Amino acid sequence: MKLSIQSILIFLSVAVFTTTAYYSVGFFHADEHFQILEFIGIKAGWNTPNDVVWEYHTQIRSSIQPSIAHGLISIFKLFGITDSYTLSFLLREVTGLTLIFALVFFYRNTNHLIQSKKNPQNNNLLKYLYLGFLLLIWYVPYLGVRFSSETWSAIFLIFAMGCFCSQNKTPRTLIITGFFFGISFLFRFQIAFALIGFGIHQLIFGTQKLKTSLSIIGGFLIALLVGIFIDRWFYSEWVFTPWKYLQTFLHPDPTINFGELPWDYYLNRMFHLPTKLIGTLLFLSLTSTLIFKGRSPFIWMILSFILIHTFIGHKEERFLFPIVFFFPLFFVQFFQLLIDYIPKKVALALIYLTTLGILTTSIIGLPILASTSAGLGRNGITHFIHQNYQGRPVNLITMPYSNPYAPWFRGENFYLDKNVSFNYINKFEELDSSRIKKDTVNLFVTTRLFLDTYPRRENIQKLGFKLIQQSVPAYKLKMDNYVREIDDQQVTYLYELKK
């Protein structure tokens, strides 16, 4: 049986996503762990309310994702799967496969938007590039397997826009669109910034505005109602978490300071983080879409999302993640405009050169991210300890903010191995023979910051500790500068006492 190019791209993406899900141990941002996996522990038994972060007590987080995770983990355990790292891999795998399904669904309902009417003979090229970019641009599998609120919000936003762009819309399709919008909102409330842009677009350009709007709003309200019942189960009382979150946003706790970044932070990140090549293509694509396809709901959603985030002082690159999966649509629409408005040979030359650049970037980036622990790789260290020292007592001597099980003195009970005990020191001078335990595996962990900054690091070698693992391998750390940015001062180094 001869496979089509589309089938090959889908099968390849499944392989890449699965590989990435397996090796991408841990989390990109702390919220991905502490507000989901640790929240589950309240229902599953490994945590009490006193063990989790303050967001649980203020009830400002929708419980839809912890509840889904709790259900999935319960199912996995029925099949005898209890290892924490295997469970988290399966959560990432489910996330990745669900995103692939969403992206293929989105592709099938939106590929008519990138077809050239002036040069239809090039439409197959545009379609193959579109699907390939959607599934396999270097950052997509890495972000696509994150069991985070950003990724799951993106998944349902993709489903929603896939439904909305269907060429055979019915009232039922519009209700489902609204429902998916609502579920996307429950995963991450800030997706409302994109929905505001969508709503404004509908008010200006929408057809059958009242009927369409009522159907979408109806579906959205159904999703909110589902969220209320889920929160009632999780928090054991009736609570409307979006309202609680809004109150906290409008009246923040003065003792909690997240910091503020300049207004152009997101513009800077969008240009640099996906590599300057893709960043340049992104800005050209958004600008051309705004000029030539200004009636597109996507440009209104994306610009609204970015603009409103720009006015909020607390900024993080992950806040952009829910919209990055839409960027390939803008890329290929830009290609289509090139084919339609400039000489064909020049257009195709530019498209081939740009695609070659993206392909080269992805050939470098995909293997790095597919074989590296997430974020700063701290859970790669805990996974290494878990795999190599099971059943043996471990004395983990740790410098401040270096403990991979509790990098901010907040314990990761989900991954905690009972055979590991902690021995905290504040400086290298305290690393002496009194810290060593007999008949125990003695490990020492620190970060690059202490190794570069603090004196007496020679104590590590004098006692007989040898480097056995680091959270980001040296060669990957060097290559990483070309595809993403890492604070190498926070890279973790694990040493073992060799007798």
Side-chain angles (χ1 to χ4, degrees):
M1 181 179 67
K2 186 177 180 180
L3 291 176
S4 67
I5 294 177
Q6 294 180 9
S7 298
I8 293 172
L9 288 172
I10 293 170
F11 289 144
L12 180 60
S13 70
V14 170
V16 174
F17 272 68
T18 299
T19 303
T20 307
Y22 182 79
Y23 287 104
S24 190
V25 181
F27 51 86
F28 177 86
H29 187 274
D31 288 0
E32 184 181 336
H33 177 85
F34 289 101
Q35 294 185 27
I36 301 174
L37 295 184
E38 295 300 333
F39 273 24
I40 301 170
I42 295 173
K43 291 295 184 182
W46 64 76
N47 274 333
T48 69
N50 292 330
D51 296 320
V52 296
V53 292
W54 64 273
E55 285 90 345
Y56 173 81
H57 303 282
T58 54
Q59 299 174 330
I60 65 170
R61 298 296 185 194
S62 168
S63 63
I64 186 171
Q65 193 162 3
S67 300
I68 289 173
H70 178 60
L72 288 173
I73 287 176
S74 298
I75 293 171
F76 298 148
K77 287 185 175 181
L78 290 176
F79 292 92
I81 302 170
T82 58
D83 182 84
S84 296
Y85 294 93
T86 303
L87 291 172
S88 61
F89 156 65
L90 291 174
L91 291 177
R92 292 191 297 273
E93 178 73 352
V94 168
T95 302
L97 294 179
T98 306
L99 178 64
I100 290 173
F101 183 79
L103 289 172
V104 172
F105 173 78
F106 180 75
Y107 161 79
R108 289 177 175 170
N109 284 328
T110 59
N111 62 50
H112 64 276
L113 300 176
I114 51 95
Q115 292 179 4
S116 169
K117 294 181 179 178
K118 294 183 179 180
N119 295 286
Q121 66 272 22
N122 297 119
N123 284 340
N124 280 338
L125 170 65
L126 294 176
K127 287 168 63 176
Y128 297 146
L129 290 178
Y130 183 30
L131 183 59
F133 288 173
L134 279 172
L135 296 174
L136 290 168
I137 280 185
W138 71 268
Y139 62 79
V140 169
Y142 177 75
L143 298 182
V145 301
R146 302 263 58 82
F147 193 75
S148 66
S149 63
E150 292 84 9
T151 297
W152 276 87
S153 181
I155 287 172
F156 282 90
L157 188 63
I158 291 166
F159 274 128
M161 292 308 296
C163 286
F164 182 77
C165 291
S166 170
Q167 292 180 294
N168 298 309
K169 278 197 288 284
T170 64
R172 179 184 176 186
T173 305
L174 293 172
I175 292 173
I176 294 173
T177 297
F179 181 78
F180 285 151
F181 277 148
I183 298 298
S184 176
F185 173 76
L186 290 177
F187 278 108
R188 185 154 189 83
F189 297 143
Q190 290 89 338
I191 208 67
F193 301 156
L195 301 184
I196 289 172
F198 177 84
I200 294 173
H201 171 272
Q202 285 302 105
L203 287 175
I204 298 174
F205 302 112
T207 58
Q208 295 184 309
K209 297 177 183 178
L210 181 60
K211 184 178 180 180
T212 299
S213 298
L214 288 177
S215 296
I216 293 175
I217 291 172
F220 186 89
L221 292 176
I222 292 171
L224 287 189
L225 187 62
V226 171
I228 290 173
F229 279 100
I230 294 174
D231 287 339
R232 171 66 180 83
W233 171 79
F234 187 80
Y235 289 110
S236 300
E237 61 180 283
W238 292 107
V239 56
F240 189 49
T241 50
W243 175 247
K244 290 262 191 177
Y245 184 88
L246 180 62
Q247 286 181 311
T248 303
F249 176 78
L250 295 175
H251 306 287
D253 186 339
T255 64
I256 301 175
N257 181 17
F258 292 105
E260 294 191 6
L261 289 168
W263 70 270
D264 62 345
Y265 172 81
Y266 291 119
L267 297 179
N268 180 280
R269 298 290 84 186
M270 288 167 63
F271 179 71
H272 289 94
L273 280 182
T275 69
K276 292 181 176 63
L277 168 67
I278 296 178
T280 301
L281 177 60
L282 174 60
F283 281 101
L284 289 173
S285 301
L286 292 176
T287 302
S288 63
T289 301
L290 185 61
I291 295 172
F292 294 97
K293 295 177 179 286
R295 297 171 68 95
S296 166
F298 293 98
I299 192 67
W300 286 77
M301 287 176 57
I302 300 304
L303 292 183
S304 171
F305 187 84
I306 296 170
L307 183 63
I308 298 175
H309 268 100
T310 295
F311 287 105
I312 299 173
H314 176 50
K315 298 178 175 68
E316 295 181 34
E317 62 194 49
R318 68 186 175 98
F319 293 168
L320 293 175
F321 291 173
I323 62 170
V324 299
F325 301 102
F326 292 103
F327 291 169
L329 172 63
F330 294 103
F331 298 163
V332 182
Q333 283 187 328
F334 177 59
F335 290 169
Q336 178 234 313
L337 290 171
L338 289 178
I339 290 173
D340 284 348
Y341 288 98
I342 67 174
K344 180 181 175 182
K345 290 184 178 180
V346 177
L348 290 176
L350 289 173
I351 291 170
Y352 289 141
L353 284 173
T354 305
T355 300
L356 179 62
I358 293 174
L359 181 62
T360 302
T361 301
S362 297
I363 288 174
I364 296 171
L366 284 173
I368 292 175
L369 296 181
S371 59
T372 306
S373 299
L376 290 167
R378 294 187 182 98
N379 286 119
I381 297 291
T382 65
H383 190 214
F384 179 87
I385 295 172
H386 176 77
Q387 286 184 313
N388 290 277
Y389 305 107
Q390 282 190 27
R392 301 165 63 188
V394 173
N395 172 39
L396 183 63
I397 307 168
T398 175
M399 292 287 278
Y401 299 102
S402 300
N403 184 354
Y405 292 95
W408 303 280
F409 299 104
R410 169 70 65 177
E412 296 178 8
N413 292 339
F414 180 75
Y415 290 117
L416 184 61
D417 289 312
K418 294 181 179 180
N419 62 311
V420 179
S421 61
F422 306 120
N423 194 333
Y424 292 98
I425 61 175
N426 293 308
K427 50 189 177 181
F428 288 128
E429 287 88 341
E430 297 177 13
L431 183 61
D432 55 34
S433 58
S434 67
R435 302 288 176 175
I436 307 302
K437 293 184 179 181
K438 293 182 179 180
D439 302 319
T440 300
V441 176
N442 289 280
L443 304 177
F444 172 69
V445 65
T446 186
T447 61
R448 178 77 171 269
L449 174 66
F450 290 105
L451 293 173
D452 287 351
T453 308
Y454 287 76
R456 301 295 297 275
R457 56 183 285 187
E458 65 272 10
N459 282 16
I460 302 173
Q461 285 76 29
K462 283 183 179 179
L463 283 172
F465 282 99
K466 303 294 182 183
L467 181 66
I468 57 172
Q469 187 78 353
Q470 63 186 68
S471 59
V472 182
Y475 77 93
K476 290 183 180 178
L477 198 57
K478 291 179 181 179
M479 295 181 67
D480 211 63
N481 294 326
Y482 297 99
V483 291
R484 63 171 178 164
E485 297 178 351
I486 271 190
D487 181 3
D488 61 358
Q489 293 294 292
Q490 300 303 315
V491 173
T492 304
Y493 294 81
L494 181 69
Y495 298 80
E496 181 180 0
L497 183 65
K498 300 292 186 179
K499 297 181 181 179

